[in-house]
Amino acid sequence: MEPLNCPGSQLSLLYVEDEPEIRELLSGVLIRKFPAVEIHTAENGMAGLELFKELSPDIILTDIRMPVMDGIQMAREIRGVNSTASIIVISACSETEYLLEAIKMGISRYVLKPIDHKMLFEAVNDCIARITHERQSKAQNELIRRLNDELEQRVLERTAELEASNRELEAFCYSVAHDLSTPLRGINGFSNILLEEYSDRLDEAGQSYLVRMGSATVRMGQLINDLLELSRVTRRELHRERVDLSHLVHGIVDELREHDPDRRAEFIIAENLEDEGDPILIRLALENLLGNAWKYTSKEPSPKIEFGSRTCNGETVYFVRDNGIGFDMAYVHKLFIPFQRLHGIDEFGGTGVGLASVQRIISRHGGKIWAEGEPKKGATFYFTVRCSSSVHNTAN
């Protein structure tokens, strides 16, 4: 059997034997067989114990019967210093009582006299393998601990950076809300004054320009508000709880009908749909999805809007479906990008921020959102509110 070598720091072995000839002969054999192991010798148990305390060898190979202090007593003293020390006892068959005591103490291995070198080498190799494994495990655990400490420190640093960025973003949002909205209201107000008090001094074209100016300021104000809403969606702390999605949808539909009482549309709402999520953010996402369905079915003679769920690869997938204007799937990648619109502003109102907010809300919940549509045949928006690798961007 080839000897095992331990990477890293050199292993050491203490051989304790009172007979000089045997000690010299066997130590020479050990040196030749295990060149990577540092070999030390001692002439009795007392000398071996002192040398162990001085050198802390990895393996102790000892005879049992020795003057001054026998091998068993020395092993017991060593165990008191290092309870996991690797101890190999060399024992004659007649020393059964000693051997049983050594086994009771938990020696690593024993070798019977006359010494079989093959058995001795196997015993030493077993100890080397165990020590090597322990050192490797210790080194790996230390590396993992150090990496965890570094990762924790990086997380702390990154968290501090994100908190600072959030504070800067909050300051920016305040600036947007205050510094931009205030002069915008002034522009809108003055244009209205001109229309009301000076319309007789303006020709038709001038009055048209003022009307368009007022409309532009209203739209810009809406853009500012939507930007702020998108920012709040990103920064708001997530609070998960049980949410009755069907109940939320019923409430949103009531609000849509109240806001536009002359509109008639068929709503199909699946009942008893519940899930875990932030109730405020989930409601905002549903408001945007249902509001879009309401808006894009406004020119449909028999508008129909549906909210429901289905199981896809073992996951619950919710959907909002309508039979409105729809969209071309060639442009589906633009749906969730802020300010990207697939229909003209003169045709349908809005800023193009709503679906971007929905996407961020769903993403923060660990879910996914995707859409399918066809021009003049409606659209369906699918979403999940939990992280799952089994949900794909299809739902048939």
Side-chain angles (χ1 to χ4, degrees):
M1 176 181 292
E2 290 300 318
L4 296 175
N5 293 322
C6 181
S9 59
Q10 186 178 23
L11 286 172
S12 59
L13 180 147
L14 172 61
Y15 173 38
V16 185
E17 168 62 59
D18 63 312
E19 296 186 27
E21 295 83 1
I22 297 177
R23 184 171 68 246
E24 182 177 353
L25 175 63
L26 191 54
S27 63
V29 171
L30 292 171
I31 290 171
R32 290 191 297 274
K33 190 64 178 178
F34 302 97
V37 178
E38 187 177 355
I39 308 296
H40 303 278
T41 60
E43 65 273 15
N44 57 55
M46 182 63 73
L49 179 60
E50 293 301 318
L51 204 56
F52 175 83
K53 293 179 179 178
E54 177 185 347
L55 301 176
S56 298
D58 301 290
I59 303 169
I60 298 90
L61 173 64
T62 182
D63 193 11
I64 289 183
R65 290 184 178 273
M66 293 182 293
V68 185
M69 178 185 287
D70 63 41
I72 297 300
Q73 187 178 353
M74 180 195 71
R76 189 179 293 110
E77 295 289 335
I78 288 174
R79 277 280 188 260
V81 177
N82 182 355
S83 60
T84 61
S86 295
I87 302 175
I88 302 172
V89 169
I90 299 174
S91 169
C93 293
S94 60
E95 298 172 327
T96 304
E97 183 179 346
Y98 287 106
L99 185 57
L100 290 174
E101 179 66 21
I103 293 173
K104 192 182 300 182
M105 265 192 321
I107 62 166
S108 303
R109 289 286 295 268
Y110 67 88
V111 178
L112 294 176
K113 291 181 179 179
I115 298 175
D116 184 328
H117 285 181
K118 181 179 179 182
M119 290 183 61
L120 176 61
F121 297 155
E122 286 180 354
V124 173
N125 267 324
D126 284 348
C127 290
I128 291 175
R130 183 180 65 81
I131 294 169
T132 300
H133 175 72
E134 290 175 353
R135 287 187 177 183
Q136 289 174 340
S137 297
K138 184 178 180 180
Q140 290 172 353
N141 290 337
E142 176 61 24
L143 176 61
I144 291 171
R145 185 197 63 77
R146 189 170 68 251
L147 290 175
N148 284 337
D149 289 345
E150 292 176 0
L151 179 60
E152 184 177 354
Q153 182 61 33
R154 290 180 184 178
V155 169
L156 290 174
E157 292 172 356
R158 183 59 178 158
T159 300
E161 291 174 1
L162 288 174
E163 289 175 351
S165 297
N166 282 337
R167 287 193 295 270
E168 292 176 3
L169 183 59
E170 288 174 4
F172 171 75
C173 290
Y174 176 81
S175 176
V176 168
H178 183 270
D179 297 345
L180 293 183
S181 297
T182 299
L184 196 62
R185 285 192 294 269
I187 294 171
N188 189 40
F190 285 123
S191 64
N192 287 332
I193 291 172
L194 286 173
L195 278 173
E196 293 173 4
E197 299 185 8
Y198 297 89
S199 59
D200 56 339
R201 305 183 191 182
L202 297 172
D203 58 16
E204 186 176 342
Q207 293 181 30
S208 174
Y209 292 150
L210 286 175
V211 170
R212 292 170 64 183
M213 182 188 300
S215 299
T217 57
V218 170
R219 173 168 167 73
M220 187 172 180
Q222 186 179 358
L223 281 170
I224 292 171
N225 291 333
D226 286 349
L227 275 174
L228 292 174
E229 186 62 42
L230 187 61
S231 173
R232 282 192 289 268
V233 164
T234 303
R235 293 181 294 111
R236 186 183 185 278
E237 187 177 353
L238 204 67
H239 298 283
R240 282 186 180 270
E241 61 183 69
R242 200 68 184 170
V243 180
D244 188 335
L245 302 176
S246 300
H247 179 73
L248 287 181
V249 171
H250 277 293
I252 294 167
V253 169
D254 289 342
E255 292 175 3
L256 290 172
R257 284 174 167 162
E258 183 180 347
H259 184 264
D260 193 355
D262 296 331
R263 249 320 274 283
R264 292 292 179 267
E266 179 187 0
F267 282 93
I268 301 174
I269 303 172
E271 300 297 339
N272 303 316
L273 295 183
E274 296 184 355
D275 215 314
E276 297 287 334
D278 185 299
I280 295 176
L281 292 180
I282 292 296
R283 179 182 174 85
L284 181 58
L286 289 171
E287 283 178 351
N288 277 296
L289 292 174
L290 291 165
N292 275 357
W294 179 261
K295 176 170 62 177
Y296 291 118
T297 56
S298 61
K299 299 180 181 181
E300 175 65 31
S302 300
K304 180 179 178 180
I305 299 171
E306 181 181 0
F307 171 71
S309 71
R310 59 178 54 188
T311 301
C312 179
N313 296 328
E315 291 292 321
T316 301
V317 179
Y318 304 99
F319 63 85
V320 174
R321 177 179 294 124
D322 67 70
N323 63 340
I325 192 171
F327 63 89
D328 189 336
M329 286 294 289
Y331 305 104
V332 68
H333 62 283
K334 294 185 176 183
L335 283 175
F336 303 104
I337 301 175
F339 309 117
Q340 292 287 334
R341 298 174 51 86
L342 302 188
H343 306 287
I345 189 172
D346 296 333
E347 189 178 6
F348 295 97
T351 60
V353 176
L355 287 178
S357 295
V358 174
Q359 193 274 335
R360 293 194 184 186
I361 290 171
I362 297 302
S363 178
R364 290 196 62 197
H365 279 78
K368 293 182 179 180
I369 182 167
W370 63 98
E372 295 177 355
E374 188 175 346
K376 298 182 181 180
K377 292 189 178 181
T380 305
F381 286 84
Y382 301 94
F383 67 93
T384 63
V385 291
R386 298 170 187 265
C387 181
S388 173
S389 59
S390 63
V391 177
H392 304 287
N393 290 358
T394 59
N396 297 318

